[in-house]
Amino acid sequence: MMHWIILPVIIPAMFAPLIGFVMRWDITLARAASVMATVLLVGVAIGLAMLAAGGETHVYRLGDWPAPFGIVLVLDQLSALMVLLTSILALIVLIHAIATGWDNRGRHFHALFQFQLMGICGAFLTGDIFNLFVFFEVLLIASYGLMIHSGGKERMQAGLQYVVMNLAGSTLFLFALGTLYASTGTLNIADLAAKIPLIPAEEAALVRVAAILLMIVFAVKAALFPVQFWLPATYANAPAPVAALFAIMTKVGAYAILRVHTTAFSPDHPGTVDLADTWLFPAAIITIAIGAFGVLGARRLMPLIAFSVIGSMGTLLVAVAAFSPNATAAALYYMVHSTFAAACLFLVADLIVTRRNTDRLTAKVPTVQNGLFAALFFAAAIAMAGMPPLSGFLGKLLVLDALRAPGTMIWAWSAILIGSLLTIVGFARAGSTLFWKSTSMIPEPNMTTSEETPQASPATALQLAPTMLALATLAALAAFAGPVSAYLQGTSDQLFDRAGYINAVLSPAEEVIE
């Protein structure tokens, strides 16, 4: 067995209680341990990505119990990509949280942060839908604590809405699991992929019900219409580093749709063949519209970024809904881009809001480093809106190129292009208010310093480094778009090789321990 496969779950699971119980009163030790754990996670993720790059599917059988009877973790190019994406994002966010002092504004930040990483990585690696539910709950419980970190009335209210919505989603998840197990006798993804095609279409009603319920559950996680309404308040009121980490949370829902509805519920099966056309594609189109109009109408910076995340998820899921290798490869490229773009925007916004003392889009006296923040905001905004030269432009081009089918082209192209235009206008309006109009303001003679603008020291190099690193990642994603796209095309082809996945997971366990 390749014991490295379980390390992305084990590392944060070991460090989280150690930080929570042993280092809870010493922020320096907690920071050191959290950074060490995250750096180790990045190293392991790079190793797993290299292992999976050959195109083989690697299976880790806990207790050496064979599937479908035992718990299995499955490493392929898609799961390795998602774990690597999570670990790099986590390190960027963690550095920002430490540099800005966000981690010291409440208790147990680093322990909850590691539990969150444990849940996210486990969700990407699991080969069983029930354990997907378990890891969902782990990451959600940790996210509840991170969401209300440092307290505040508005944050608690948004956190309550977030908890209620996700508890409802968890309940539906359990109903779906019960229905699916009653109709197939298994919850292992590979075993489901082998058994569901054998069920005649006229007897697949329960399977279809389970597939629809799971689609709804994953739509909640992905903030897809009509269950997207929890995201703006949650992301806008969460601490900025937490909101940046949450950029990967919606991708967990998108990943689950890809993994489960491509592998377990074959898009070609008569019982589930029209789920994408009937539900997923129209919902994604509406999600793009909601995000675009939300950006255009936002009067505060943090909700504006939150709505841009909704719009990006709509664009991503429009490509996912095609359920084809080419469209999925484009979706994966856009997924990586949108994760770093959203995180970058939240980190930039934190630097701006801290010095303006408000996130309202109103003109104020320029803050320190106003020009630097304007440049960072401009770069992050054009990345999220999909303008050249950063990777957002290429990502949307790939999505548009993959969606040329006559029945979907007019809707997908119109939604993405018009949505991008509205997003550009919204970000331009916000940027001009925050930076251009503020430069023309002259403080009144009788205005005190506290009334002009809050006294704040310039951002240090360490505080700027995470944002710069996220932008550099977006630039690298554009510069190396060719090899990245080729790798992601191979990732997509492997995802659609259902027979290869089934054979790898359900084959007898190897006796070799590496």
PDB file of all heavy atoms in Angstrom, residues 31-67:
ATOM      1  N   ARG A  31       1.143  28.884  16.143  1.00  0.00           N
ATOM      2  CA  ARG A  31       1.486  29.335  14.793  1.00  0.00           C
ATOM      3  C   ARG A  31       2.568  28.452  14.180  1.00  0.00           C
ATOM      4  O   ARG A  31       2.470  28.038  13.013  1.00  0.00           O
ATOM      5  CB  ARG A  31       1.951  30.792  14.826  1.00  0.00           C
ATOM      6  CG  ARG A  31       0.843  31.797  15.043  1.00  0.00           C
ATOM      7  CD  ARG A  31       1.400  33.198  15.253  1.00  0.00           C
ATOM      8  NE  ARG A  31       0.336  34.211  15.252  1.00  0.00           N
ATOM      9  CZ  ARG A  31       0.515  35.489  15.513  1.00  0.00           C
ATOM     10  NH1 ARG A  31       1.745  35.930  15.820  1.00  0.00           N
ATOM     11  NH2 ARG A  31      -0.492  36.331  15.486  1.00  0.00           N
ATOM     12  N   ALA A  32       3.596  28.165  14.957  1.00  0.00           N
ATOM     13  CA  ALA A  32       4.693  27.352  14.436  1.00  0.00           C
ATOM     14  C   ALA A  32       4.207  25.960  14.043  1.00  0.00           C
ATOM     15  O   ALA A  32       4.557  25.437  12.971  1.00  0.00           O
ATOM     16  CB  ALA A  32       5.803  27.255  15.482  1.00  0.00           C
ATOM     17  N   ALA A  33       3.382  25.357  14.892  1.00  0.00           N
ATOM     18  CA  ALA A  33       2.881  24.019  14.599  1.00  0.00           C
ATOM     19  C   ALA A  33       1.950  24.023  13.394  1.00  0.00           C
ATOM     20  O   ALA A  33       1.996  23.115  12.551  1.00  0.00           O
ATOM     21  CB  ALA A  33       2.146  23.465  15.824  1.00  0.00           C
ATOM     22  N   SER A  34       1.123  25.043  13.287  1.00  0.00           N
ATOM     23  CA  SER A  34       0.183  25.117  12.166  1.00  0.00           C
ATOM     24  C   SER A  34       0.913  25.309  10.844  1.00  0.00           C
ATOM     25  O   SER A  34       0.580  24.678   9.833  1.00  0.00           O
ATOM     26  CB  SER A  34      -0.808  26.260  12.401  1.00  0.00           C
ATOM     27  OG  SER A  34      -1.850  26.237  11.458  1.00  0.00           O
ATOM     28  N   VAL A  35       1.931  26.180  10.855  1.00  0.00           N
ATOM     29  CA  VAL A  35       2.720  26.378   9.639  1.00  0.00           C
ATOM     30  C   VAL A  35       3.465  25.101   9.276  1.00  0.00           C
ATOM     31  O   VAL A  35       3.520  24.708   8.096  1.00  0.00           O
ATOM     32  CB  VAL A  35       3.702  27.550   9.827  1.00  0.00           C
ATOM     33  CG1 VAL A  35       4.698  27.611   8.672  1.00  0.00           C
ATOM     34  CG2 VAL A  35       2.946  28.871   9.936  1.00  0.00           C
ATOM     35  N   MET A  36       4.020  24.429  10.273  1.00  0.00           N
ATOM     36  CA  MET A  36       4.730  23.183  10.008  1.00  0.00           C
ATOM     37  C   MET A  36       3.805  22.146   9.385  1.00  0.00           C
ATOM     38  O   MET A  36       4.157  21.483   8.400  1.00  0.00           O
ATOM     39  CB  MET A  36       5.329  22.636  11.310  1.00  0.00           C
ATOM     40  CG  MET A  36       6.111  21.339  11.124  1.00  0.00           C
ATOM     41  SD  MET A  36       6.657  20.631  12.699  1.00  0.00           S
ATOM     42  CE  MET A  36       7.670  21.977  13.310  1.00  0.00           C
ATOM     43  N   ALA A  37       2.613  22.005   9.953  1.00  0.00           N
ATOM     44  CA  ALA A  37       1.658  21.035   9.423  1.00  0.00           C
ATOM     45  C   ALA A  37       1.259  21.370   7.991  1.00  0.00           C
ATOM     46  O   ALA A  37       1.164  20.473   7.133  1.00  0.00           O
ATOM     47  CB  ALA A  37       0.418  20.987  10.322  1.00  0.00           C
ATOM     48  N   THR A  38       1.044  22.641   7.713  1.00  0.00           N
ATOM     49  CA  THR A  38       0.609  23.047   6.374  1.00  0.00           C
ATOM     50  C   THR A  38       1.731  22.886   5.356  1.00  0.00           C
ATOM     51  O   THR A  38       1.493  22.469   4.217  1.00  0.00           O
ATOM     52  CB  THR A  38       0.104  24.495   6.400  1.00  0.00           C
ATOM     53  OG1 THR A  38      -0.867  24.640   7.446  1.00  0.00           O
ATOM     54  CG2 THR A  38      -0.570  24.853   5.087  1.00  0.00           C
ATOM     55  N   VAL A  39       2.949  23.200   5.755  1.00  0.00           N
ATOM     56  CA  VAL A  39       4.092  22.997   4.852  1.00  0.00           C
ATOM     57  C   VAL A  39       4.270  21.510   4.558  1.00  0.00           C
ATOM     58  O   VAL A  39       4.535  21.108   3.406  1.00  0.00           O
ATOM     59  CB  VAL A  39       5.369  23.597   5.461  1.00  0.00           C
ATOM     60  CG1 VAL A  39       6.599  23.180   4.657  1.00  0.00           C
ATOM     61  CG2 VAL A  39       5.272  25.114   5.518  1.00  0.00           C
ATOM     62  N   LEU A  40       4.138  20.673   5.583  1.00  0.00           N
ATOM     63  CA  LEU A  40       4.197  19.221   5.363  1.00  0.00           C
ATOM     64  C   LEU A  40       3.110  18.772   4.407  1.00  0.00           C
ATOM     65  O   LEU A  40       3.340  17.930   3.529  1.00  0.00           O
ATOM     66  CB  LEU A  40       4.066  18.482   6.698  1.00  0.00           C
ATOM     67  CG  LEU A  40       5.282  18.482   7.616  1.00  0.00           C
ATOM     68  CD1 LEU A  40       4.929  17.834   8.957  1.00  0.00           C
ATOM     69  CD2 LEU A  40       6.442  17.744   6.965  1.00  0.00           C
ATOM     70  N   LEU A  41       1.922  19.348   4.568  1.00  0.00           N
ATOM     71  CA  LEU A  41       0.810  18.994   3.690  1.00  0.00           C
ATOM     72  C   LEU A  41       1.115  19.374   2.244  1.00  0.00           C
ATOM     73  O   LEU A  41       0.821  18.605   1.315  1.00  0.00           O
ATOM     74  CB  LEU A  41      -0.470  19.690   4.168  1.00  0.00           C
ATOM     75  CG  LEU A  41      -1.742  19.392   3.380  1.00  0.00           C
ATOM     76  CD1 LEU A  41      -2.070  17.900   3.427  1.00  0.00           C
ATOM     77  CD2 LEU A  41      -2.914  20.206   3.911  1.00  0.00           C
ATOM     78  N   VAL A  42       1.723  20.539   2.037  1.00  0.00           N
ATOM     79  CA  VAL A  42       2.099  20.943   0.682  1.00  0.00           C
ATOM     80  C   VAL A  42       3.104  19.959   0.094  1.00  0.00           C
ATOM     81  O   VAL A  42       2.989  19.538  -1.062  1.00  0.00           O
ATOM     82  CB  VAL A  42       2.676  22.376   0.679  1.00  0.00           C
ATOM     83  CG1 VAL A  42       3.255  22.725  -0.685  1.00  0.00           C
ATOM     84  CG2 VAL A  42       1.598  23.387   1.060  1.00  0.00           C
ATOM     85  N   GLY A  43       4.099  19.577   0.895  1.00  0.00           N
ATOM     86  CA  GLY A  43       5.090  18.622   0.421  1.00  0.00           C
ATOM     87  C   GLY A  43       4.492  17.280   0.045  1.00  0.00           C
ATOM     88  O   GLY A  43       4.819  16.706  -1.014  1.00  0.00           O
ATOM     89  N   VAL A  44       3.605  16.786   0.894  1.00  0.00           N
ATOM     90  CA  VAL A  44       2.941  15.516   0.602  1.00  0.00           C
ATOM     91  C   VAL A  44       2.064  15.643  -0.642  1.00  0.00           C
ATOM     92  O   VAL A  44       2.027  14.736  -1.492  1.00  0.00           O
ATOM     93  CB  VAL A  44       2.101  15.065   1.813  1.00  0.00           C
ATOM     94  CG1 VAL A  44       1.199  13.884   1.449  1.00  0.00           C
ATOM     95  CG2 VAL A  44       3.010  14.681   2.977  1.00  0.00           C
ATOM     96  N   ALA A  45       1.364  16.770  -0.767  1.00  0.00           N
ATOM     97  CA  ALA A  45       0.486  16.974  -1.924  1.00  0.00           C
ATOM     98  C   ALA A  45       1.285  16.992  -3.220  1.00  0.00           C
ATOM     99  O   ALA A  45       0.849  16.439  -4.246  1.00  0.00           O
ATOM    100  CB  ALA A  45      -0.299  18.279  -1.761  1.00  0.00           C
ATOM    101  N   ILE A  46       2.462  17.616  -3.192  1.00  0.00           N
ATOM    102  CA  ILE A  46       3.315  17.621  -4.387  1.00  0.00           C
ATOM    103  C   ILE A  46       3.748  16.197  -4.725  1.00  0.00           C
ATOM    104  O   ILE A  46       3.734  15.775  -5.887  1.00  0.00           O
ATOM    105  CB  ILE A  46       4.540  18.533  -4.168  1.00  0.00           C
ATOM    106  CG1 ILE A  46       4.098  20.000  -4.062  1.00  0.00           C
ATOM    107  CG2 ILE A  46       5.547  18.364  -5.301  1.00  0.00           C
ATOM    108  CD1 ILE A  46       5.220  20.949  -3.671  1.00  0.00           C
ATOM    109  N   GLY A  47       4.124  15.428  -3.698  1.00  0.00           N
ATOM    110  CA  GLY A  47       4.514  14.042  -3.929  1.00  0.00           C
ATOM    111  C   GLY A  47       3.386  13.212  -4.494  1.00  0.00           C
ATOM    112  O   GLY A  47       3.585  12.393  -5.410  1.00  0.00           O
ATOM    113  N   LEU A  48       2.172  13.401  -3.977  1.00  0.00           N
ATOM    114  CA  LEU A  48       1.014  12.654  -4.486  1.00  0.00           C
ATOM    115  C   LEU A  48       0.679  13.065  -5.917  1.00  0.00           C
ATOM    116  O   LEU A  48       0.284  12.214  -6.733  1.00  0.00           O
ATOM    117  CB  LEU A  48      -0.189  12.878  -3.569  1.00  0.00           C
ATOM    118  CG  LEU A  48      -0.087  12.281  -2.161  1.00  0.00           C
ATOM    119  CD1 LEU A  48      -1.344  12.595  -1.352  1.00  0.00           C
ATOM    120  CD2 LEU A  48       0.136  10.774  -2.220  1.00  0.00           C
ATOM    121  N   ALA A  49       0.828  14.348  -6.232  1.00  0.00           N
ATOM    122  CA  ALA A  49       0.569  14.797  -7.600  1.00  0.00           C
ATOM    123  C   ALA A  49       1.558  14.162  -8.570  1.00  0.00           C
ATOM    124  O   ALA A  49       1.194  13.764  -9.690  1.00  0.00           O
ATOM    125  CB  ALA A  49       0.647  16.322  -7.673  1.00  0.00           C
ATOM    126  N   MET A  50       2.812  14.056  -8.154  1.00  0.00           N
ATOM    127  CA  MET A  50       3.810  13.400  -8.998  1.00  0.00           C
ATOM    128  C   MET A  50       3.500  11.912  -9.148  1.00  0.00           C
ATOM    129  O   MET A  50       3.674  11.336 -10.230  1.00  0.00           O
ATOM    130  CB  MET A  50       5.208  13.613  -8.403  1.00  0.00           C
ATOM    131  CG  MET A  50       5.665  15.060  -8.391  1.00  0.00           C
ATOM    132  SD  MET A  50       7.227  15.312  -7.514  1.00  0.00           S
ATOM    133  CE  MET A  50       8.329  14.352  -8.537  1.00  0.00           C
ATOM    134  N   LEU A  51       3.038  11.290  -8.072  1.00  0.00           N
ATOM    135  CA  LEU A  51       2.685   9.868  -8.131  1.00  0.00           C
ATOM    136  C   LEU A  51       1.525   9.620  -9.082  1.00  0.00           C
ATOM    137  O   LEU A  51       1.520   8.640  -9.846  1.00  0.00           O
ATOM    138  CB  LEU A  51       2.326   9.377  -6.717  1.00  0.00           C
ATOM    139  CG  LEU A  51       1.839   7.929  -6.593  1.00  0.00           C
ATOM    140  CD1 LEU A  51       2.955   6.956  -6.971  1.00  0.00           C
ATOM    141  CD2 LEU A  51       1.359   7.656  -5.171  1.00  0.00           C
ATOM    142  N   ALA A  52       0.529  10.516  -9.050  1.00  0.00           N
ATOM    143  CA  ALA A  52      -0.666  10.331  -9.871  1.00  0.00           C
ATOM    144  C   ALA A  52      -0.461  10.776 -11.307  1.00  0.00           C
ATOM    145  O   ALA A  52      -1.287  10.457 -12.173  1.00  0.00           O
ATOM    146  CB  ALA A  52      -1.837  11.101  -9.258  1.00  0.00           C
ATOM    147  N   ALA A  53       0.629  11.514 -11.581  1.00  0.00           N
ATOM    148  CA  ALA A  53       0.819  12.082 -12.912  1.00  0.00           C
ATOM    149  C   ALA A  53       0.949  11.022 -14.000  1.00  0.00           C
ATOM    150  O   ALA A  53       0.717  11.301 -15.178  1.00  0.00           O
ATOM    151  CB  ALA A  53       2.050  12.985 -12.924  1.00  0.00           C
ATOM    152  N   GLY A  54       1.320   9.799 -13.614  1.00  0.00           N
ATOM    153  CA  GLY A  54       1.464   8.737 -14.593  1.00  0.00           C
ATOM    154  C   GLY A  54       0.156   8.225 -15.155  1.00  0.00           C
ATOM    155  O   GLY A  54       0.151   7.449 -16.113  1.00  0.00           O
ATOM    156  N   GLY A  55      -0.961   8.630 -14.562  1.00  0.00           N
ATOM    157  CA  GLY A  55      -2.271   8.214 -15.064  1.00  0.00           C
ATOM    158  C   GLY A  55      -2.840   6.979 -14.399  1.00  0.00           C
ATOM    159  O   GLY A  55      -3.934   6.532 -14.754  1.00  0.00           O
ATOM    160  N   GLU A  56      -2.148   6.428 -13.405  1.00  0.00           N
ATOM    161  CA  GLU A  56      -2.652   5.261 -12.689  1.00  0.00           C
ATOM    162  C   GLU A  56      -3.545   5.698 -11.534  1.00  0.00           C
ATOM    163  O   GLU A  56      -3.393   6.780 -10.982  1.00  0.00           O
ATOM    164  CB  GLU A  56      -1.500   4.405 -12.159  1.00  0.00           C
ATOM    165  CG  GLU A  56      -0.604   3.813 -13.239  1.00  0.00           C
ATOM    166  CD  GLU A  56       0.507   2.974 -12.653  1.00  0.00           C
ATOM    167  OE1 GLU A  56       0.548   2.827 -11.415  1.00  0.00           O
ATOM    168  OE2 GLU A  56       1.349   2.468 -13.419  1.00  0.00           O
ATOM    169  N   THR A  57      -4.475   4.819 -11.175  1.00  0.00           N
ATOM    170  CA  THR A  57      -5.341   5.048 -10.017  1.00  0.00           C
ATOM    171  C   THR A  57      -4.811   4.225  -8.858  1.00  0.00           C
ATOM    172  O   THR A  57      -4.720   2.992  -8.942  1.00  0.00           O
ATOM    173  CB  THR A  57      -6.792   4.645 -10.320  1.00  0.00           C
ATOM    174  OG1 THR A  57      -7.278   5.438 -11.414  1.00  0.00           O
ATOM    175  CG2 THR A  57      -7.684   4.880  -9.105  1.00  0.00           C
ATOM    176  N   HIS A  58      -4.450   4.894  -7.760  1.00  0.00           N
ATOM    177  CA  HIS A  58      -3.872   4.233  -6.593  1.00  0.00           C
ATOM    178  C   HIS A  58      -4.927   4.152  -5.490  1.00  0.00           C
ATOM    179  O   HIS A  58      -5.646   5.132  -5.237  1.00  0.00           O
ATOM    180  CB  HIS A  58      -2.651   4.990  -6.096  1.00  0.00           C
ATOM    181  CG  HIS A  58      -1.576   5.145  -7.126  1.00  0.00           C
ATOM    182  ND1 HIS A  58      -0.553   4.241  -7.292  1.00  0.00           N
ATOM    183  CD2 HIS A  58      -1.378   6.111  -8.075  1.00  0.00           C
ATOM    184  CE1 HIS A  58       0.229   4.626  -8.278  1.00  0.00           C
ATOM    185  NE2 HIS A  58      -0.243   5.770  -8.765  1.00  0.00           N
ATOM    186  N   VAL A  59      -4.991   3.007  -4.845  1.00  0.00           N
ATOM    187  CA  VAL A  59      -6.028   2.758  -3.837  1.00  0.00           C
ATOM    188  C   VAL A  59      -5.378   2.444  -2.501  1.00  0.00           C
ATOM    189  O   VAL A  59      -4.455   1.614  -2.429  1.00  0.00           O
ATOM    190  CB  VAL A  59      -6.944   1.593  -4.258  1.00  0.00           C
ATOM    191  CG1 VAL A  59      -8.049   1.375  -3.227  1.00  0.00           C
ATOM    192  CG2 VAL A  59      -7.543   1.867  -5.632  1.00  0.00           C
ATOM    193  N   TYR A  60      -5.837   3.085  -1.447  1.00  0.00           N
ATOM    194  CA  TYR A  60      -5.383   2.801  -0.086  1.00  0.00           C
ATOM    195  C   TYR A  60      -6.543   2.160   0.673  1.00  0.00           C
ATOM    196  O   TYR A  60      -7.585   2.779   0.871  1.00  0.00           O
ATOM    197  CB  TYR A  60      -4.942   4.084   0.618  1.00  0.00           C
ATOM    198  CG  TYR A  60      -4.368   3.852   2.000  1.00  0.00           C
ATOM    199  CD1 TYR A  60      -3.028   3.544   2.159  1.00  0.00           C
ATOM    200  CD2 TYR A  60      -5.174   3.935   3.125  1.00  0.00           C
ATOM    201  CE1 TYR A  60      -2.490   3.327   3.419  1.00  0.00           C
ATOM    202  CE2 TYR A  60      -4.649   3.715   4.388  1.00  0.00           C
ATOM    203  CZ  TYR A  60      -3.311   3.408   4.533  1.00  0.00           C
ATOM    204  OH  TYR A  60      -2.788   3.186   5.779  1.00  0.00           O
ATOM    205  N   ARG A  61      -6.348   0.923   1.079  1.00  0.00           N
ATOM    206  CA  ARG A  61      -7.398   0.171   1.763  1.00  0.00           C
ATOM    207  C   ARG A  61      -7.124   0.181   3.258  1.00  0.00           C
ATOM    208  O   ARG A  61      -6.186  -0.471   3.716  1.00  0.00           O
ATOM    209  CB  ARG A  61      -7.468  -1.262   1.220  1.00  0.00           C
ATOM    210  CG  ARG A  61      -7.764  -1.330  -0.270  1.00  0.00           C
ATOM    211  CD  ARG A  61      -7.632  -2.737  -0.817  1.00  0.00           C
ATOM    212  NE  ARG A  61      -8.012  -2.793  -2.226  1.00  0.00           N
ATOM    213  CZ  ARG A  61      -7.179  -2.544  -3.235  1.00  0.00           C
ATOM    214  NH1 ARG A  61      -5.918  -2.217  -2.982  1.00  0.00           N
ATOM    215  NH2 ARG A  61      -7.595  -2.603  -4.486  1.00  0.00           N
ATOM    216  N   LEU A  62      -7.935   0.894   4.021  1.00  0.00           N
ATOM    217  CA  LEU A  62      -7.726   0.968   5.464  1.00  0.00           C
ATOM    218  C   LEU A  62      -7.977  -0.397   6.092  1.00  0.00           C
ATOM    219  O   LEU A  62      -9.009  -1.033   5.838  1.00  0.00           O
ATOM    220  CB  LEU A  62      -8.660   2.009   6.093  1.00  0.00           C
ATOM    221  CG  LEU A  62      -8.161   3.462   6.008  1.00  0.00           C
ATOM    222  CD1 LEU A  62      -8.329   4.022   4.613  1.00  0.00           C
ATOM    223  CD2 LEU A  62      -8.884   4.339   7.030  1.00  0.00           C
ATOM    224  N   GLY A  63      -7.032  -0.838   6.908  1.00  0.00           N
ATOM    225  CA  GLY A  63      -7.138  -2.157   7.514  1.00  0.00           C
ATOM    226  C   GLY A  63      -6.943  -3.281   6.524  1.00  0.00           C
ATOM    227  O   GLY A  63      -7.159  -4.442   6.867  1.00  0.00           O
ATOM    228  N   ASP A  64      -6.552  -2.955   5.300  1.00  0.00           N
ATOM    229  CA  ASP A  64      -6.367  -3.929   4.221  1.00  0.00           C
ATOM    230  C   ASP A  64      -7.665  -4.664   3.889  1.00  0.00           C
ATOM    231  O   ASP A  64      -7.640  -5.777   3.347  1.00  0.00           O
ATOM    232  CB  ASP A  64      -5.270  -4.931   4.569  1.00  0.00           C
ATOM    233  CG  ASP A  64      -4.581  -5.463   3.324  1.00  0.00           C
ATOM    234  OD1 ASP A  64      -4.653  -4.797   2.276  1.00  0.00           O
ATOM    235  OD2 ASP A  64      -3.986  -6.546   3.402  1.00  0.00           O
ATOM    236  N   TRP A  65      -8.808  -4.035   4.207  1.00  0.00           N
ATOM    237  CA  TRP A  65     -10.102  -4.601   3.818  1.00  0.00           C
ATOM    238  C   TRP A  65     -10.399  -4.210   2.371  1.00  0.00           C
ATOM    239  O   TRP A  65     -10.321  -3.037   2.023  1.00  0.00           O
ATOM    240  CB  TRP A  65     -11.216  -4.074   4.715  1.00  0.00           C
ATOM    241  CG  TRP A  65     -11.244  -4.726   6.069  1.00  0.00           C
ATOM    242  CD1 TRP A  65     -10.549  -4.322   7.170  1.00  0.00           C
ATOM    243  CD2 TRP A  65     -12.003  -5.866   6.450  1.00  0.00           C
ATOM    244  NE1 TRP A  65     -10.822  -5.145   8.229  1.00  0.00           N
ATOM    245  CE2 TRP A  65     -11.720  -6.108   7.813  1.00  0.00           C
ATOM    246  CE3 TRP A  65     -12.894  -6.715   5.780  1.00  0.00           C
ATOM    247  CZ2 TRP A  65     -12.291  -7.164   8.520  1.00  0.00           C
ATOM    248  CZ3 TRP A  65     -13.462  -7.760   6.480  1.00  0.00           C
ATOM    249  CH2 TRP A  65     -13.168  -7.983   7.832  1.00  0.00           C
ATOM    250  N   PRO A  66     -10.759  -5.185   1.539  1.00  0.00           N
ATOM    251  CA  PRO A  66     -11.005  -4.853   0.130  1.00  0.00           C
ATOM    252  C   PRO A  66     -12.321  -4.109  -0.039  1.00  0.00           C
ATOM    253  O   PRO A  66     -13.259  -4.266   0.746  1.00  0.00           O
ATOM    254  CB  PRO A  66     -11.059  -6.225  -0.549  1.00  0.00           C
ATOM    255  CG  PRO A  66     -11.525  -7.158   0.532  1.00  0.00           C
ATOM    256  CD  PRO A  66     -10.919  -6.631   1.811  1.00  0.00           C
ATOM    257  N   ALA A  67     -12.384  -3.293  -1.083  1.00  0.00           N
ATOM    258  CA  ALA A  67     -13.641  -2.635  -1.448  1.00  0.00           C
ATOM    259  C   ALA A  67     -14.565  -3.685  -2.061  1.00  0.00           C
ATOM    260  O   ALA A  67     -14.097  -4.633  -2.695  1.00  0.00           O
ATOM    261  CB  ALA A  67     -13.361  -1.516  -2.441  1.00  0.00           C
TER     262      ALA A  67
END
